[in-house]
Each structure stands twice: as C-alpha cells, then as structure tokens.
Amino acid sequence: MSTITPASPARAELHAFLARHQRFLLTTHINPDGDAIGSEVAFARFLRAQGKTVRVLNDSPTPHAFGWLAADLPVEVYSEALAEECFAEADALVVLDTGNKQRIGRLADHLQRHAIAIAIVDHHATHDGFGKVNVIEPSCAVAAVLVYELMREAGVAIDATAADALYVGLATDTGHFRYSNTDARALRMAADLVDL
C-alpha cells in the first residue's frame, strides 16, 4: 500500500512525532466508549507495526462489551504504582478521543511529575490542546476516522484486529450510522473496514 500525503501540517507533525519516539503510552477519557477503546487498540496496532513498544493505560476499566477488542494487547486500569511504572517506561504519551486534560482522570496528575512528550488525536470541538502535537479535527465523525486516516497516510496495513477496533469506534460513535455525524467519509471508511 502506498503512503498518502498527510491531510494537514498537524498530521505531518504527528507522523514525525511518532517516528521520533520508541516507547509509547496510550490513554483516553474516563469511562471509555467504543470509539475510545477502538481507537486505542487500532493506534496500538499502528505503532506496533512500526516496531514501537506500546502500553495502554486508562483511568477507568474497559466496558465489558468492548473487552474482546483488547484480547491481543491488555488495556490496563489505573493504579498509582502502575501509572508511575508506565510513565517511567514511556518516552511519549498519545491521548485519544479527548483533548481535555481533566478528562484523562488521574493520569493528568502524572503529567506534572514526568517530562513526557504528548500528542493529542481527537475529534471534539472543545479541547485544551495540551499536547506538543495536537491533531484535533472536529470535521471527523469519530476519533477512529482520524486513526484510520493516519494509518493510511503512514502506509501501515490495517489488519483484521485493527479493522474490527476501528469499525467498533465508528459504529458506536455514529449510533450505528444513525446520528447526524454519519457522513460519506465515515461510510467509505466502514465499507473499507468490512472488506478488511
């Protein structure tokens, strides 16, 4: 698959950010939904395909309905000691599906104690933009659209596990294609994911 030119300078900056770092920690908002978990799982696959090491740590447990997505890579649940371990190991943090520092819950407290590079990948209009790199695109129906497009831009193959995760994110955050955020871009992505 050929590499696609990034759609924006912020995306190009994110690809450079990912290339510069090796050990990643991923997180999302408290009480994660299908888009949050799906985006994390797919983004972890994206990074692993590039030879990166990845851990996923959330403030809240993964809802039972989405637990199967994390069969290959554990989505860990916050404890003070575990968070300290994860932050000490990582050289970069990627926050998915939120651009508000408070929404990552107790992990936000660790940002003041650890010098870690931060990138944000989000689709919400309201945000703090607290990352060194902020890819925040409200024109995207869901965060999974951004992750999907970033993988395509990087020329990283979307395997069946990533396709499942992205589809869950897309389907749940569009109300199974009933909400007004369901646009042609989302439907084209859904068709591609079904093919995969």
Side-chain angles (χ1 to χ4, degrees), residues 71-188:
D72 179 54
L73 173 74
V75 176
E76 299 175 276
V77 182
Y78 183 91
S79 75
E80 180 81 19
L82 181 59
E84 282 298 311
E85 176 187 315
C86 288
F87 273 90
E89 283 180 4
D91 54 24
L93 170 70
V94 179
V95 179
L96 295 143
D97 199 32
T98 184
N100 291 322
K101 191 186 296 186
Q102 316 87 285
R103 294 273 293 137
I104 65 171
R106 293 167 287 181
L107 276 76
D109 296 337
H110 295 267
L111 300 181
Q112 297 170 18
R113 298 199 294 268
H114 294 272
I116 191 167
I118 302 168
I120 309 294
V121 177
D122 186 30
H123 69 112
H124 296 99
T126 56
H127 58 82
D128 303 337
F130 66 95
K132 179 176 183 178
V133 176
N134 297 289
V135 179
I136 300 171
E137 299 183 15
S139 63
C140 288
V142 303
V145 168
L146 265 172
V147 175
Y148 167 83
E149 291 178 355
L150 289 165
M151 292 177 80
R152 288 292 192 215
E153 289 167 7
V156 170
I158 298 174
D159 63 17
T161 301
D164 281 343
L166 291 167
Y167 192 89
V168 165
L170 182 62
T172 57
D173 237 35
T174 59
H176 298 278
F177 311 103
R178 294 189 316 269
Y179 299 161
S180 61
N181 63 343
T182 304
D183 57 11
R185 182 177 178 187
L187 293 171
R188 280 192 294 270

